[in-house]
Amino acid sequence: MDFFCCLSCPRLFRHIVCMDRADLLFYTDKKIYKSRATIKQMMDLLPQDTFIQTHRAFIVNTQKIEKFNIKSIVIKNTIIPVSKKYIDNIDVVFK
């Protein structure tokens, strides 16, 4: 499966990490993909009912969240930070 196939079915993504201003890493259960885009560009493309931004450098698939608290989210043993700026995004999903 290639990256463009994953883009056509974004629910395969567990989370997305911004490595610098325009390099994103897309984590799936089987592979990590790299692409040039900004977090904002990706948030505009992804389904808003499934993906939330939790930090300036992280987007998560809400369907893949295993645990969460006010400071972090856990997906497949990966701890993803939650910043104060984005805490409301999590509140909306889990209310």
Side-chain angles (χ1 to χ4, degrees):
M1 179 176 359
D2 68 2
F3 175 71
F4 294 105
C5 180
C6 284
L7 273 181
S8 67
C9 187
R11 285 170 172 72
L12 294 174
F13 298 132
R14 290 190 329 230
H15 63 282
I16 302 166
V17 179
C18 182
M19 297 308 294
D20 60 41
R21 294 189 77 161
D23 283 327
L24 299 179
L25 296 179
F26 297 79
Y27 289 79
T28 68
D29 287 336
K30 297 183 180 185
K31 194 170 179 180
I32 300 170
Y33 297 93
K34 184 176 180 180
S35 182
R36 301 263 320 153
T38 65
I39 286 275
K40 178 167 179 8
Q41 290 168 331
M42 199 49 52
M43 284 301 296
D44 290 342
L45 291 174
L46 293 168
Q48 299 296 311
D49 63 331
T50 308
F51 290 88
I52 59 170
Q53 188 168 355
T54 63
H55 184 275
R56 67 176 175 79
F58 290 86
I59 297 171
V60 300
N61 181 336
T62 58
Q63 296 174 346
K64 306 279 185 176
I65 294 173
E66 297 167 351
K67 299 180 201 173
F68 71 95
N69 62 41
I70 198 164
K71 294 184 181 183
S72 65
I73 288 174
V74 176
I75 298 175
K76 290 279 185 184
N77 295 323
T78 301
I79 299 172
I80 299 165
V82 175
S83 68
K84 289 179 184 178
K85 179 177 179 180
Y86 297 102
I87 192 70
D88 289 341
N89 292 351
I90 296 169
D91 286 344
V92 168
V93 171
F94 294 103
K95 280 191 176 181

